[in-house]
Amino acid sequence: MHDHAHTKDIFYGRRLRGSAALRGMVRETRLSKDTLIYPVFVQSGENIKDEIATMPGQYRYSPDRLPEFFEEALAAGVDKVIFFGLPAAKDEVGSGAWADDGIVQQAVRIAAERYPEVLRVTDVCLCEYTSHGHCGVLEGGCVHNEKTLPLLAQTAVSQARAGAQLIAPSDMMDGRVAAIRRALDKEGFSGTPVMAYSAKYSSAFYGPFREAADSAPAFGDRKTYQMDWHNAREAVRESLADLSEGADIVMVKPALAYLDVIRRVREQVDAPLCAYAVSGEYAMIKAAAQAGMMDEEALVAETTTAIFRAGADMLITYHAPLAARLITEGRIG
Ligand code: PBG
């Protein structure tokens, strides 16, 4: 086999790579299907399952077609879902976000009734519901922090009432976790945990999502509320702040270009840590695969493992069913 030099000076790294069994034994990173969360886009209407142009293989479902999504997830062994909504109508303040019969509220009720074994996570943000596409209420062309907080809290409560089991604010307003925590407690949902998008960067990798959710800002960008990607220490401050406000889980988003941030937060923050492999990460892999440039399964295996190796405890990913299958087949983890 190997003709290694018999010298003590050499590190024989290859000895433990000689077979799949050996490699499997010395793996430092273990993956589990339990830690995967699959996003779904729910659209107001009937009999809709439209493929999203910027995210091949991902669809917008009307509530009546949702079972197809759940069957796909469950068949792969994924039992955690995060909901995003496309409402029938938008307005200045995003009132569709907290409507009792809002699109996410409807979807969550269906899921609770038909797929009770699936964990229901809801994204709290106004950008999909505002006519201007920003994540909060505008005043003088700027997103007003304090005026936005009660609307986010109201949205979280209405989602919890519909049956959401984990509330995930993604808006990046200051103080939103405290506002949401207070409102949930007051309305009888003190047992419902909050997963804060704590270190959410102002990222070009959200491009495909904004097409999918019709949530691109009509003017300007999100740099006055989402984080500047030059900063990593700030992610720790944001995470600790969210924990002090009552967050149960913190998040770093996006994932692949922020592995250093995931590692840093893992080392400095003692709370469960979620990472979000966002739409642009999915789209890059899909595009490369469709162009015949790289292999989708191999890329998903490697990138998913990298995110967990960096220190994530759980992962939101559009590739959740594929990642789960790779785990089942023993190709990763
Ligand atoms: C809502 C929200 C966004 C994403 C998750 N929640 C879009 C944004 O902030 O522009 C992005 C998810 C993705 O790209 O997959 N604010």
Side-chain angles (χ1 to χ4, degrees), residues 123 125 127 170 200 206 209-210 222 226 253 279 318:
D123 181 271
C125 195
C127 64
S170 71
K200 177 175 176 180
Y206 308 150
F209 174 97
R210 291 178 188 172
R222 304 207 202 289
Q226 298 181 346
K253 175 187 175 194
S279 55
Y318 302 94

Side-chain angles (χ1 to χ4, degrees), residues 124-125 135-137 142-153 169-182 196-200 222-228 234-235 237-246:
V124 177
C125 195
C135 302
V137 179
C142 201
V143 174
H144 194 285
N145 199 86
E146 305 312 305
K147 289 189 176 161
T148 301
L149 295 182
L151 307 184
L152 297 169
S170 71
D171 53 283
M172 289 303 278
M173 298 301 121
D174 292 322
R176 78 264 169 82
V177 174
I180 287 170
R181 185 68 273 160
R182 258 198 307 274
Y197 288 70
S198 301
K200 177 175 176 180
R222 304 207 202 289
K223 287 188 189 299
T224 65
Y225 39 105
Q226 298 181 346
M227 278 178 62
D228 181 341
E234 188 184 348
R237 298 184 70 197
E238 284 280 5
S239 300
L240 293 174
D242 284 351
L243 288 174
S244 74
E245 291 180 25

Side-chain angles (χ1 to χ4, degrees), residues 48-200:
I48 300 167
K49 182 185 176 185
D50 282 348
E51 191 166 28
I52 297 161
T54 50
M55 303 174 72
Q58 301 295 312
Y59 300 84
R60 299 191 197 89
Y61 297 87
S62 53
D64 57 321
R65 298 284 296 269
L66 270 179
E68 289 163 59
F69 170 85
F70 280 91
E71 298 299 339
E72 182 209 0
L74 287 169
V78 174
D79 66 353
K80 289 157 193 82
V81 167
I82 182 164
F83 294 87
F84 295 96
L86 289 96
K90 306 187 186 221
D91 60 27
E92 277 287 301
V93 293
S95 55
W98 62 83
D100 277 339
D101 62 348
I103 186 64
V104 162
Q105 288 79 356
Q106 287 178 42
V108 166
R109 279 193 202 96
I110 291 170
E113 169 134 354
R114 300 199 44 182
Y115 302 95
E117 71 274 34
V118 176
L119 185 81
R120 302 176 293 278
V121 188
T122 47
D123 181 271
V124 177
C125 195
L126 302 182
C127 64
E128 297 129 74
Y129 304 90
T130 53
S131 42
H132 45 75
H134 277 288
C135 302
V137 179
L138 293 183
E139 197 164 278
C142 201
V143 174
H144 194 285
N145 199 86
E146 305 312 305
K147 289 189 176 161
T148 301
L149 295 182
L151 307 184
L152 297 169
Q154 209 172 333
T155 301
V157 168
S158 81
Q159 292 174 346
R161 268 199 200 112
Q165 296 165 299
L166 178 58
I167 304 291
S170 71
D171 53 283
M172 289 303 278
M173 298 301 121
D174 292 322
R176 78 264 169 82
V177 174
I180 287 170
R181 185 68 273 160
R182 258 198 307 274
L184 288 173
D185 292 352
K186 184 163 161 273
E187 299 298 325
F189 298 103
S190 59
T192 303
V194 171
M195 175 163 77
Y197 288 70
S198 301
K200 177 175 176 180

